[in-house]
Amino acid sequence: MFKPFRTAAVLGAGVMGTQIAAHLANAGLTVHLLDLPAKTNNKNNLVETAFKKALKQSPPIFFTEKTTHRVKLGNFDEHFHRIAEADWVIEAVVENLEVKQKLMQQLEDVIREDAIVSTNTSGLPIHAIVNDRSESFRQRFLGTHFFNPPRYLKLLELIPTSDTDPDVLKRMQWFGRSCLGKGGVIAKDTPNFIANRIGMYAMMVGLRAWTTQGYTIEEIDTLTGTFVGRPKSATFRTADLVGLDTLLYVVENLYPAIPDDESRETFRVPDVLRKLVSTGTLGAKTGQGFYKKQNHQILSLNLETLAYEPTKPLDLGDMQAIEKLPLGDRLPALYRDSGRAGTFFRQMMLDILGYSARRIPEIADNPIDVDRAMRWGFGWELGPFEIWDALGFEAVLADMKVADIPIPTWVEKMHRNGGRSFYWNDHDVYDLKYQSVRMETPADEMNLVDLKADSNRILWQNPEAALLDLGDGVALYEFRSKGNTLSLNVVNGLAEVLDWLETHDDIKGLIIGNDSPNFSGGANLAEITMMAQSGNFDAIVNLIVQFQSILQRIHYATKPIVAAIQGRVLGGGCELVMACPYVVAATETYIGLVELSVGLIPGAGGILRMVMRADERAASESPDHIRPFLQAAFETIAMAKVSNSAYEAQELGFLSPTTQIVMNADRRLFVAKHQVLHLDRLGYTPPPQQNAILVLGQPMRAALEHAAYIFQQGGFASEYDRYLANRLAYVMTGGELSAPAIVPENYLLQLEREMFLPLLSQSKTQERIAHMLKVKKPLRN
């Protein structure tokens, strides 16, 4: 077991330096962020200005406002001595080899003998930065290349030199995965390492299709975006976001650094890119790049005139049938397409796949590291070699030969030795010795793919949910509905599973979770709307009663039930989680009671639990002490706030202070399982019944309604928003009670039910639901 870092120093407060410092602070470290001294009386002016700018970034780089206080600002003149406190020092100064070498010389005189030093350079040789340092220093030095933004992108490229101590590398791998939530990939000390080398090549292939092959910007972005399992920013929107000047700088530096790259000419900068940068057309930061937004219309660049024009219809044929296929089937279908879309995709993929294969072993030792780098760093759903397998290994190989695309020796030899796939089963991938490498799941993670494939592990299932045996007497309830919504199948399944749990003494407890990016999108609005439109309001009432009852059963179950959550946890999904006595949450959990955005109020205990938590947070049972916490809870629900992180969810009241928060989302089911086992060993007892909830009655209701009025008058809420907020205030303060009173849980649950159905029949609520189902965005009518 390695020792975690507790104090770090980040040298350089540029875009990456500030964000790396922020993420280390998110992980609980004290971080010294230092930069050059300003030429003013306040030598911290440069670093303070950079930090203030970073605080305004969207999406936010810190988990909570409190987290920012872990970052201590300073300058190299007055505060360089602080580096002696650091367990880990990260260099992120200007990309200049001489500057970095000089800084390393200064560091060697200050750092502790056991401190690790790393560089975040993306374009300079790692080994050259420390050539003149002592052996001891070089043994504790490596490259740690974070991807922008560090908080949100999983990839951390680790680049050891020939002198790096193997234990130092192992410690960085462990800390990155367990404490920073990163996916570590070991890269060779080569230009642009792994992800940027392949990613930049793919971008240049897209650019050249525009400049030489007659495809439009929109057509290329369609065929390099979500349609093929890549981010929606695709090629040209990504370039605009990165900055055309940054793109030019990277390519200009890469080209001379790879004289032996057989595809080097692909990295030659197109003339149009130089022209754009020379005229100050730099992308999103200047308001125009390959795209420009003008009068609420998106325009794109005309290659010949360099003028911006409205988008033209795509000339890619009918791709609707292909688009409906799952990605694993969609890619082969597009590859076989005989039209312009298929021609582009085939040429592009043969080029990129061939290039990726030829970069092994130059940049990495096996396909899995390349694939992980592209998935974790560039957001591809499948890496190059996974795509190759999906398209058909032998078909792609044959097409490469026809197209005279060079095929590396190791691929040819693998094929001669019987290899027909890079991933020849779910666990093994070929390495350079043409032998399989076992892809082990880390000991503190769980592989649900394997579990779901084992029929002996399935204890119960219906079309949209299943109960899986995780071993050691722990079961997992996993729902698989579209968007992980709480459909009728999911709700009914949960009721059946709770019955099952009570009758199986060999099961110690239950986890509610899944392996999807998002835990739950909330109630299935489409099903509820169909019931309402058909006039089947009794069914809706029964559903609400049933769901409330199920959540109460979960809360008071005699066996431990733990929710393991990640990503979006909205509406009814949030109510489900709040009902669970114990929760394991990934830090990147965005949870909220968002019902007011679709014209409803929480109807399955969400209001009840927010009122209870307001009571619990107060210093005493005095209404004066409870009032500010209830006001905050009211505003949180009325504004449909969603947390920025699991830590902020605790501040907002959606997660309890006892929630176990994990930086690496892949560990959440493992941690949840061990929490169930721990609670069982302690002799689990359910929470005590809450039959004495203090609600504040009419005086508080008037105050909350006045707050809603102020919001409307200030232009922050519509008239219907205010109406909904008043209905919310009615429930939160106890309905018609004229003064503070003690009520049981069922009292508030009944108020939730009584308010939900009338709102569903309102025309403005129906408009909001229809709009959400159609465009996936809230309507403020």
Side-chain angles (χ1 to χ4, degrees):
M1 183 67 178
F2 296 102
K3 181 181 178 182
F5 302 116
R6 301 309 306 151
T7 303
V10 178
L11 311 183
V15 172
M16 286 302 294
T18 52
Q19 292 193 80
I20 291 169
H23 195 58
L24 297 179
N26 287 336
L29 279 73
T30 298
V31 186
H32 297 281
L33 177 61
L34 309 183
D35 208 330
L36 293 169
K39 297 177 182 179
T40 62
N41 291 334
N42 176 18
K43 290 190 174 183
N44 268 4
N45 189 53
L46 289 178
V47 69
E48 288 174 0
T49 300
F51 194 66
K52 288 177 182 177
K53 183 179 179 181
L55 292 176
K56 297 177 182 178
Q57 286 188 224
S58 180
I61 61 177
F62 286 98
F63 287 158
T64 68
E65 185 178 348
K66 290 180 181 178
T67 312
T68 64
H69 301 305
R70 296 189 187 128
V71 180
K72 312 298 181 185
L73 306 182
N75 64 80
F76 293 164
D77 273 6
E78 298 173 315
H79 307 110
F80 205 76
H81 63 277
R82 289 192 203 159
I83 297 173
E85 304 172 23
D87 305 314
W88 179 16
V89 181
I90 304 173
E91 172 274 305
V93 300
V94 63
E95 287 286 87
N96 181 292
L97 182 59
E98 186 177 345
V99 170
K100 291 179 187 290
Q101 289 172 333
K102 184 178 178 180
L103 182 59
M104 294 299 154
Q105 182 180 353
Q106 294 172 304
L107 280 177
E108 188 160 17
D109 296 331
V110 177
I111 61 171
R112 297 201 320 256
E113 291 184 356
D114 62 343
I116 292 176
V117 181
S118 69
T119 175
N120 187 59
T121 184
S122 59
L124 295 174
I126 302 296
H127 66 276
I129 295 174
V130 291
N131 269 347
D132 297 329
R133 303 279 52 82
S134 68
E135 181 181 4
S136 172
F137 189 97
R138 296 198 309 271
Q139 287 175 342
R140 293 175 285 132
F141 178 81
L142 74 163
T144 52
H145 185 219
F146 289 83
F147 273 66
N148 188 14
R151 172 182 167 181
Y152 298 98
L153 287 184
K154 184 175 180 177
L155 180 60
L156 175 61
E157 288 179 320
L158 299 171
I159 310 99
T161 71
S162 59
D163 294 315
T164 304
D165 186 327
D167 285 339
V168 167
L169 179 60
K170 290 177 183 177
R171 185 182 182 191
M172 292 304 304
Q173 286 179 288
W174 169 80
F175 186 81
R177 190 177 66 84
S178 298
C179 303
L180 298 181
K182 295 296 175 187
V185 170
I186 298 175
K188 304 288 186 71
D189 189 4
T190 56
N192 283 34
F193 313 129
I194 300 175
N196 278 341
R197 185 73 169 273
I198 304 299
M200 194 58 59
Y201 188 85
M203 180 170 287
M204 296 306 291
V205 169
L207 278 171
R208 294 200 181 281
W210 178 53
T211 59
T212 66
Q213 297 174 25
Y215 287 89
T216 67
I217 285 177
E218 292 83 4
E219 287 172 340
I220 294 167
D221 271 358
T222 297
L223 295 171
T224 59
T226 55
F227 193 91
V228 296
R230 296 193 204 168
K232 62 182 180 181
S233 55
T235 297
F236 292 95
R237 285 189 178 87
T238 297
D240 280 352
L241 291 170
V242 169
L244 304 194
D245 53 339
T246 302
L247 177 61
L248 177 63
Y249 173 83
V250 171
V251 178
E252 280 190 323
N253 281 275
L254 180 59
Y255 183 84
I258 51 173
D260 298 326
D261 188 325
E262 76 293 327
S263 301
R264 182 189 189 203
E265 287 306 307
T266 301
F267 293 103
R268 189 177 290 279
V269 177
D271 290 340
V272 65
L273 183 58
R274 291 190 190 278
K275 289 179 183 177
L276 291 172
V277 173
S278 68
T279 60
T281 303
L282 307 181
K285 55 189 168 187
T286 59
Q288 60 183 36
F290 291 111
Y291 288 101
K292 178 181 181 179
K293 188 174 183 180
Q294 183 174 297
N295 298 327
H296 306 291
Q297 185 180 16
I298 302 297
L299 309 177
S300 62
L301 196 68
N302 181 302
L303 177 62
E304 302 300 328
T305 65
L306 296 188
Y308 291 94
E309 301 175 345
T311 58
K312 298 176 181 177
L314 302 180
D315 181 21
L316 298 176
D318 185 3
M319 299 195 299
Q320 289 185 351
I322 296 177
E323 189 174 15
K324 293 177 182 179
L325 298 172
L327 185 64
D329 298 325
R330 191 187 319 147
L331 296 181
L334 182 58
Y335 187 81
R336 294 189 299 267
D337 178 73
S338 59
R340 290 182 77 242
T343 299
F344 172 88
F345 184 68
R346 275 191 306 279
Q347 292 176 347
M348 175 184 70
M349 290 317 306
L350 290 173
D351 196 352
I352 294 172
L353 299 182
Y355 186 77
S356 299
R358 294 192 299 275
R359 296 286 66 79
I360 293 176
E362 178 193 346
I363 64 175
D365 279 335
N366 58 65
I368 186 62
D369 285 337
V370 175
D371 284 346
R372 285 173 172 169
M374 296 312 297
R375 285 193 277 111
W376 295 342
F378 273 73
W380 292 17
E381 290 185 45
L382 297 175
F385 296 98
E386 292 167 316
I387 293 173
W388 191 329
D389 278 358
L391 297 179
F393 174 80
E394 294 192 87
V396 169
L397 194 63
D399 290 343
M400 283 182 176
K401 292 177 180 178
V402 171
D404 289 328
I405 293 174
I407 301 167
T409 303
W410 73 271
V411 174
E412 294 274 28
K413 188 171 181 180
M414 184 189 85
H415 185 236
R416 287 197 302 271
N417 289 354
R420 298 297 180 266
S421 168
F422 293 102
Y423 295 84
W424 59 279
N425 62 32
D426 289 337
H427 299 283
D428 299 274
V429 60
Y430 282 104
D431 68 3
L432 283 179
K433 297 177 182 177
Y434 326 111
Q435 299 172 345
S436 65
V437 177
R438 191 74 175 173
M439 296 187 297
E440 299 288 354
T441 300
D444 59 352
E445 296 179 13
M446 300 188 71
N447 189 336
L448 282 192
V449 175
D450 285 352
L451 290 174
K452 288 186 280 191
D454 184 354
S455 60
N456 294 322
R457 295 278 191 170
I458 301 174
L459 304 172
W460 170 96
Q461 64 180 333
N462 73 18
E464 294 184 320
L467 186 68
L468 304 176
D469 181 4
L470 299 186
D472 301 315
V474 180
L476 169 72
Y477 182 71
E478 181 200 36
F479 37 101
R480 308 164 178 175
S481 52
K482 185 177 181 180
N484 286 337
T485 56
L486 300 171
S487 64
L488 293 174
N489 276 330
V490 170
V491 173
N492 291 332
L494 193 49
E496 289 186 49
V497 164
L498 291 175
D499 292 340
W500 187 95
L501 187 65
E502 292 173 357
T503 59
H504 285 72
D505 295 337
D506 57 323
I507 299 298
K508 299 172 182 177
L510 179 71
I511 299 170
I512 301 175
N514 54 60
D515 58 356
S516 300
N518 299 302
F519 176 79
S520 175
N524 189 315
L525 292 175
E527 287 184 346
I528 293 175
T529 300
M530 288 180 62
M531 293 180 197
Q533 290 174 345
S534 64
N536 196 358
F537 291 104
D538 287 344
I540 298 175
V541 172
N542 291 336
L543 177 61
I544 296 170
V545 171
Q546 180 192 19
F547 196 42
Q548 283 186 343
S549 173
I550 288 171
L551 298 194
Q552 289 296 88
R553 288 180 66 189
I554 287 173
H555 191 71
Y556 294 115
T558 56
K559 295 179 181 179
I561 297 180
V562 178
I565 64 174
Q566 74 291 338
R568 293 185 183 88
V569 187
L570 305 177
C574 177
E575 291 179 293
L576 170 59
V577 170
M578 293 179 74
C580 292
Y582 294 90
V583 178
V584 174
T587 49
E588 299 302 339
T589 293
Y590 318 117
I591 183 170
L593 295 168
V594 296
E595 285 84 353
L596 269 77
S597 65
V598 291
L600 300 168
I601 64 170
I607 297 175
L608 161 69
R609 299 191 203 287
M610 290 294 274
V611 171
M612 289 169 59
R613 288 179 179 175
D615 286 4
E616 292 166 1
R617 289 179 164 192
S620 74
E621 294 183 358
S622 165
D624 287 340
H625 287 161
I626 295 172
R627 189 172 291 114
F629 294 100
L630 192 69
Q631 174 93 28
F634 168 76
E635 292 177 2
T636 294
I637 303 173
M639 297 174 67
K641 285 185 181 179
V642 175
S643 71
N644 155 59
S645 67
Y647 288 104
E648 188 179 55
Q650 289 179 312
E651 294 180 356
L652 294 174
F654 297 132
L655 297 180
S656 74
T658 61
T659 297
Q660 181 77 37
I661 299 176
V662 293
M663 286 289 284
N664 191 328
D666 294 336
R667 299 183 63 239
R668 66 190 182 280
L669 292 174
F670 171 87
V671 174
K673 177 181 176 180
H674 281 267
Q675 189 162 40
V676 168
L677 295 173
H678 174 69
L679 292 168
D680 177 70
R681 283 193 296 268
L682 291 177
Y684 182 72
T685 56
Q689 292 278 345
Q690 295 291 327
N691 290 316
I693 303 166
L694 180 60
V695 292
L696 301 188
Q698 177 61 35
M700 188 62 190
R701 176 180 163 193
L704 298 181
E705 290 179 345
H706 180 69
Y709 169 76
I710 295 298
F711 262 82
Q712 183 199 1
Q713 293 301 303
F716 299 105
S718 68
E719 182 179 346
Y720 195 58
D721 288 328
R722 179 186 170 193
Y723 171 78
L724 294 169
N726 288 346
R727 299 297 84 200
L728 173 65
Y730 178 86
V731 178
M732 293 186 77
T733 56
E736 298 295 341
L737 295 174
S738 60
I742 300 294
V743 299
E745 289 179 329
N746 283 337
Y747 181 86
L748 287 176
L749 290 173
Q750 183 175 345
L751 286 179
E752 288 185 21
R753 294 195 301 269
E754 290 174 354
M755 203 55 58
F756 189 91
L757 196 59
L759 289 176
L760 190 59
S761 63
Q762 294 278 342
S763 61
K764 288 188 179 294
T765 290
Q766 293 170 6
E767 290 170 8
R768 289 191 175 196
I769 292 175
H771 188 267
M772 178 64 74
L773 290 172
K774 183 177 180 180
V775 302
K776 311 301 181 186
K777 292 182 179 179
L779 172 68
R780 291 296 186 186
N781 54 352

